[in-house]
Amino acid sequence: MPAQPDNFLDVQSSEEFGELRRAHRSFAFPLTVAFVSWYLLYVLLSNYAGGFMDTIVVGNINIALVLGLAQFLTTFLIAWWYARHAEAQIDPKAEALKARLEAGE
């Protein structure tokens, strides 16, 4: 049976939906701020600290290349971490709300 529009409003105002939003926001917002700050630091260092970024680490590899590759690594780590968080914290709550909504409660 399809969910009725009134049921959506009831679910949206429920404590369970609030918990679901908090579980998402408490993870996504701080990590987004941290990643954007990390990215902006890289951009600022690239623009204003050329001497530092040109520092050789090993062979022809400098700090700029290491930090640039670390951006990719960080992106994949955050995606992996979020997938684990969603599976453990968000998906079960979302499934429970979906079941409740479909049952017409």
Side-chain angles (χ1 to χ4, degrees):
M1 168 171 102
Q4 300 302 314
D6 292 340
N7 294 354
F8 287 109
L9 295 175
D10 292 340
V11 168
Q12 184 180 11
S13 63
S14 71
E15 181 61 32
E16 295 91 351
F17 189 75
E19 289 175 17
L20 177 63
R21 285 192 348 213
R22 277 189 296 281
H24 170 70
R25 288 179 178 174
S26 68
F27 186 90
F29 287 171
L31 221 51
T32 299
V33 169
F35 182 77
V36 169
S37 299
W38 156 231
Y39 176 74
L40 290 176
L41 174 66
Y42 174 69
V43 171
L44 290 172
L45 286 173
S46 295
N47 284 320
Y48 301 110
F52 171 71
M53 296 296 267
D54 282 339
T55 303
I56 300 296
V57 176
V58 164
N60 291 331
I61 299 173
N62 61 16
I63 290 179
L65 180 63
V66 170
L67 292 180
L69 292 173
Q71 291 287 320
F72 287 102
L73 178 63
T74 305
T75 301
F76 290 114
L77 286 174
I78 289 171
W80 170 77
W81 193 13
Y82 180 77
R84 288 190 55 204
H85 170 74
E87 186 178 1
Q89 301 294 322
I90 297 172
D91 292 349
K93 292 174 184 174
E95 287 297 323
L97 278 174
K98 179 183 172 193
R100 185 176 131 199
L101 192 60
E102 289 175 347
E105 295 176 19

